[in-house]
Amino acid sequence: MRSKRSSRKQSGKHGLHHLRELTRNQTVNGGLWIFVGRAFFAGSALLINILLSRVLDTAAFGAYLMAFNIAFFGGVFGTLGLNQSIIRFMAEHRENGTWRRAKNTALLSLKLASIGAAGTGLLYIFLQLTLLKGVLGSELMASAALWTGLWIMLTVLQNLIAETFRGHGDVKQATLFSGVLSNFCMLVGLGLMMWLGRSSWSLQEALLLVTVCMGASCFIAGWRLLKLLQVRNWQQTNEAAMSNEPRARQLLAVSLPMMASNVALFMLTSSDIWILGVFYSESEVAIYGAAVRLMAVLNFFVVLMNTLMTSIISKYFGSAQFPKIQNYGRIIVGISTLPAIVIGAVFIVMGEQVLNLAFGTTYGSGQTILAVLSVGQLINLFAGPSGLLLTLTGNERTMLKITLITSVVTVIAAVTVVYLWGPFALAIVMVCGLFAQNGWMWVEVRRKLGISVHFNPVDLVRQLIRLAGRNKNLEQQVRIKGASYK
């Protein structure tokens, strides 16, 4: 009995030791930070929208959602794709030990992004006050043009600074400054103002709070990044590389194609708010946008799936172990999709009650839109990480072609149907575009890589049983070895 108890204690100590070693592992620790950060970002973004729907009237909330959508697009366009290319350049310089070039690349990217931020923000302010004044929204959007332009600029800077930290290998600060800190400040500000009795806000006050919170986050992030660039020992280890300083043309040659792909993806997935704002009032946009905001819950599982799959693809693609990518991929897709199916079913069956509970009784009429959009997100999960597989296996051009064609067709169809049949028809078209893109990408993954990573409940059970059997055999081997040592 004593030997059994002592062995259990020793196994418990070994288990705790392995757990500590696992959490100290840089890759695992970084993955945990990314997961927690994205979970907080998704939850806090939804909570912020719920609180704002309570303090803004329907028209002002609809205008806020359009401003958010415009700022998101401006962030994609104004960053010029540098937020993705900087990860690659910084990682290469870290591996080669060319720290001076890494510093110069980061500073040059910040300069280019600042130009892109200022140009995109000022361009939007000019267009909203002139050409778009009678097209996109009413006088409400025109009165908020300055704040929306500042939101665009801050979004660009926030995106680039956060990804520069990521390229440097600092996952913690990259996660913190990619929206987590600004959302936390927003929640504190909203809670404080509501606690003080401010139950009714104007659109300008809401956008002012956004600007202050994002400005504070960008200021702290910029200060931390500049401090990192100054403290680091930036002595060049490769003298031959000193004459080969980074140039704007080289950075943009890599970045601009990424920006084009991101713009096309935005038009495919997020242009519905714009299109609706052209033909309908802010109140209609608010009802539709409330359903879109709830999709953040289901989209979290898409982000989780892609985060887990990134490490699997990176680990096994170099050695061409495609069967392992497929097997582990189907397990990840299954685990990510199962809880999303439950939540999606709740949205489909009890959409009116969910909208009423979250945003108020005014928004319950968007139940059919919520049901359609939920089906679209579930399709996205069922199809698996096909886009990620194409991007990380050298098939970026195929991914870009698919996204461009499907986005153009979807936008044209959306503009046509929303004018004739309204928001419900718009939601159906957006889901059809998502279905076409995912189906096409799945076919290309099957054709180019010879694998298919999608949701298959039967295969999920089979893979889990096989994995459990391997773990059981491993435990038996460990016990046999332990007994032989005794």
Side-chain angles (χ1 to χ4, degrees):
M1 290 294 291
R2 289 181 179 178
S3 62
K4 287 183 179 181
R5 288 177 182 176
S6 61
S7 63
R8 286 176 184 174
K9 288 181 180 180
Q10 288 178 356
S11 62
K13 290 180 180 179
H14 284 304
L16 289 173
H17 175 72
H18 289 312
L19 182 61
R20 291 193 194 100
E21 291 296 324
L22 188 64
T23 54
R24 288 171 185 170
N25 182 278
Q26 188 175 3
T27 303
V28 175
N29 196 18
L32 289 173
W33 269 93
I34 293 172
F35 173 77
V36 173
R38 289 183 175 177
F40 176 83
F41 179 80
S44 60
L46 178 60
L47 185 56
I48 287 169
N49 282 280
I50 290 173
L51 294 176
L52 285 174
S53 71
R54 302 289 182 170
V55 298
L56 297 172
D57 60 52
T58 309
F61 184 59
Y64 172 84
L65 292 177
M66 279 199 288
F68 171 84
N69 201 261
I70 290 167
F72 181 66
F73 175 78
V76 172
F77 186 82
T79 313
L80 306 174
L82 292 165
N83 58 319
Q84 290 177 292
S85 64
I86 190 64
I87 299 175
R88 168 184 161 184
F89 287 123
M90 292 290 287
E92 288 178 355
H93 296 324
R94 278 197 304 126
E95 290 179 3
N96 297 331
T98 52
W99 298 110
R100 188 181 184 86
R101 288 206 67 200
K103 175 184 177 180
N104 293 339
T105 301
L107 293 176
L108 179 59
S109 297
L110 284 171
K111 291 177 184 178
L112 293 173
S114 299
I115 296 171
T120 307
L122 293 174
L123 178 62
Y124 166 74
I125 294 172
F126 172 75
L127 292 176
Q128 182 63 65
L129 295 176
T130 54
L131 300 178
L132 298 178
K133 190 173 183 179
V135 179
L136 187 62
S138 63
E139 293 294 331
L140 200 56
M141 286 297 296
S143 65
L146 176 62
W147 297 113
T148 308
L150 289 173
W151 195 351
I152 291 172
M153 298 178 194
L154 292 172
T155 301
V156 171
L157 294 176
Q158 179 176 267
N159 290 344
L160 182 66
I161 293 173
E163 297 311 308
T164 304
F165 277 118
R166 197 181 310 279
H168 189 268
D170 194 337
V171 178
K172 293 181 181 179
Q173 295 199 83
T175 303
L176 181 64
F177 296 123
S178 61
V180 171
L181 179 60
S182 57
N183 277 14
F184 176 77
C185 293
M186 274 285 291
L187 284 176
V188 172
L190 277 167
L192 181 62
M193 295 302 290
M194 294 177 74
W195 180 70
L196 293 174
R198 290 294 306 278
S199 58
S200 180
W201 290 31
S202 67
L203 176 63
Q204 286 77 10
E205 288 174 329
L207 294 179
L208 174 61
L209 180 61
V210 171
T211 304
V212 170
C213 293
M214 290 196 67
S217 176
C218 287
F219 177 80
I220 297 172
W223 171 69
R224 294 286 298 171
L225 180 61
L226 291 177
K227 186 177 179 181
L228 176 68
L229 295 178
Q230 290 172 357
V231 170
R232 184 63 142 151
N233 182 17
W234 296 106
Q235 293 297 322
Q236 191 78 22
T237 57
N238 186 358
E239 297 297 332
M242 294 185 64
S243 60
N244 189 19
E245 292 295 329
R247 296 182 181 179
R249 184 177 298 178
Q250 295 173 338
L251 296 181
L252 294 176
V254 177
S255 303
L256 291 179
M258 295 180 179
M259 183 202 72
S261 179
N262 292 334
V263 168
L265 185 61
F266 172 90
M267 299 305 292
L268 177 65
T269 59
S270 304
S271 62
D272 46 355
I273 297 289
W274 284 13
I275 295 169
L276 196 63
V278 172
F279 295 99
Y280 289 86
S281 65
E282 283 91 346
S283 298
E284 291 286 346
V285 174
I287 295 171
Y288 186 97
V292 172
R293 292 297 95 201
L294 279 177
M295 287 303 98
V297 179
L298 295 178
N299 188 59
F300 167 73
F301 295 100
V302 178
V303 173
L304 174 62
M305 176 182 68
N306 288 332
T307 302
L308 295 174
M309 278 302 300
T310 299
S311 59
I312 295 296
I313 298 169
S314 301
K315 183 177 181 179
Y316 294 112
F317 174 67
S319 55
Q321 299 184 56
F322 293 110
K324 286 192 175 182
I325 295 176
Q326 176 174 284
N327 294 336
Y328 286 121
R330 288 188 179 182
I331 293 174
I332 290 171
V333 171
I335 293 173
S336 303
T337 305
L338 287 175
I341 292 174
V342 177
I343 298 173
V346 173
F347 286 169
I348 293 170
V349 176
M350 303 176 62
E352 184 177 4
Q353 291 86 344
V354 172
L355 287 167
N356 288 338
L357 179 64
F359 297 98
T361 55
T362 308
Y363 300 91
S365 58
Q367 57 178 327
T368 54
I369 296 170
L370 178 61
V372 172
L373 294 178
S374 298
V375 172
Q377 284 298 321
L378 290 177
I379 289 173
N380 203 11
L381 280 163
F382 288 165
S386 301
L388 188 69
L389 282 165
L390 290 174
T391 302
L392 297 183
T393 55
N395 295 287
E396 300 92 344
R397 292 187 178 182
T398 302
M399 174 67 181
L400 178 59
K401 180 183 72 173
I402 294 171
T403 306
L404 282 173
I405 294 174
T406 52
S407 63
V408 170
V409 174
T410 301
V411 169
I412 294 173
V415 172
T416 304
V417 303
V418 73
Y419 179 73
L420 297 174
W421 295 294
F424 178 69
L426 173 63
I428 291 177
V429 168
M430 297 302 293
V431 169
C432 289
L434 199 60
F435 177 78
Q437 185 210 27
N438 278 282
W440 192 353
M441 290 190 302
W442 186 91
V443 170
E444 288 297 325
V445 169
R446 181 74 176 175
R447 187 172 68 87
K448 292 181 177 294
L449 305 179
I451 60 176
S452 56
V453 181
H454 56 271
F455 178 67
N456 186 336
V458 177
D459 188 65
L460 173 63
V461 174
R462 188 186 302 119
Q463 294 292 343
L464 289 175
I465 292 173
R466 186 182 303 170
L467 191 63
R470 288 178 182 174
N471 290 336
K472 190 174 181 179
N473 292 333
L474 185 61
E475 288 178 2
Q476 290 177 351
Q477 292 175 7
V478 171
R479 288 175 183 174
I480 292 171
K481 288 182 180 179
S484 64
Y485 284 129
K486 289 180 181 179

